[in-house]
Amino acid sequence: MALSNTPGPIGVFDSGYGGLTILHGIRQLLPQYDYLYLGDNARAPYGPRSFEVVYEFTRQAVVKMFEMGCHLVILGCNTASAKALRSIQQNDLPQLDPERRVLGVIRPTAEIIGTLTESRHVGVLATEGTIKSESYTLEIQKLWPDVQVSGVACPFWVPLVEYNEADSPGADYFVKKRIDELMRKDAAIDTIILGCTHYPLLMPKILKYLPNGVRIVPQGEYVAGSLLQYFERHPQIEQKCSRGASVHYLTTESPEKFKEQAQIFLHEPVEVENVVLG
């Protein structure tokens, strides 16, 4: 596969729409760059899928974004970061292009968490796939071995957001249920990671049922800060990211549906094109 060496946009990939919260956080801090967002909306959600399937779908998306000029792709999806990132970094990049980079959203959150928790007890609310992978536990304990991590899967939270039910009374039941379950697992938790990029849109409900003194960690700002530090450490990658302050959106689903859903996350109109993966 012949790839261009011309500077190109920063790629942000997600199985659905949640990665738009990551893109938004990055653009707030680094507005000068060009961005390419790809949502594999036709095959979402990734949460319940096997490691092999998530890896194959994510690899297809990364290859497509490389072909479209990205030298750096961020997996703005916790499930893809948990199930596919390591394999792509270790097995695929050396063949595709050893100069290109793929980063995830789990490590930036793990890096910061030890500075936020005082009790050294941390909770994770995420999709079934991310919880089963134990990626947060492994990453956090590599960096902060004294921190105890407990996780709970929240299977109904993504549909609540995508069906625009985040403000509905029904959302209260599902949000309260999972927060209560997590706190029953470990009452000493003082910091909870929202380990899915959809969950910040449930923030009003989450804050309503959060015990006093417990802090919530959404990922967008930490991923953005981590990317800024990454550029400082790797100027050769930063120089390959074009600067035109543009954003281009791609979806594997209907562009009309993507436009409608993107409004929920971005509160601004977007232009989007259909793309085929695989």
Side-chain angles (χ1 to χ4, degrees), residues 66-116:
F66 283 174
E67 288 171 349
M68 297 187 77
C70 299
H71 293 266
L72 169 67
V73 173
I74 295 161
L75 304 184
C77 171
N78 285 270
T79 304
S81 296
K83 293 183 173 183
L85 177 63
R86 195 163 297 253
S87 297
I88 287 171
Q89 286 175 334
Q90 292 176 354
N91 304 335
D92 295 302
L93 284 183
Q95 268 105 39
L96 292 169
D97 183 345
E99 300 301 310
R100 291 180 194 243
R101 295 290 179 269
V102 180
L103 306 175
V105 289
I106 292 174
R107 190 171 178 90
T109 317
E111 284 172 347
I112 201 80
I113 204 71
T115 67
L116 301 177

Side-chain angles (χ1 to χ4, degrees), residues 140-173:
I140 290 169
Q141 293 189 330
K142 256 190 261 175
L143 298 162
W144 311 98
D146 63 321
V147 172
Q148 279 186 253
V149 184
S150 304
V152 163
C154 308
F156 293 104
W157 286 24
V158 168
L160 283 171
V161 171
E162 295 208 342
Y163 289 104
N164 215 358
E165 295 287 328
D167 296 327
S168 70
D172 287 72
Y173 170 79

Side-chain angles (χ1 to χ4, degrees), residues 11-84:
V12 178
F13 168 70
D14 187 19
S15 57
Y17 302 96
L20 293 168
T21 62
I22 298 295
L23 175 63
H24 177 72
I26 295 172
R27 283 179 67 204
Q28 294 285 101
L29 188 64
L30 301 164
Q32 67 272 36
Y33 298 98
D34 293 312
Y35 294 93
L36 177 68
Y37 183 89
L38 170 55
D40 188 10
N41 309 91
R43 302 190 291 195
Y46 280 15
R49 293 186 183 273
S50 69
F51 272 72
E52 293 74 20
V53 169
V54 171
Y55 161 67
E56 186 49 42
F57 287 179
T58 306
R59 184 186 178 282
Q60 289 169 3
V62 167
V63 168
K64 175 63 75 176
M65 295 177 98
F66 283 174
E67 288 171 349
M68 297 187 77
C70 299
H71 293 266
L72 169 67
V73 173
I74 295 161
L75 304 184
C77 171
N78 285 270
T79 304
S81 296
K83 293 183 173 183

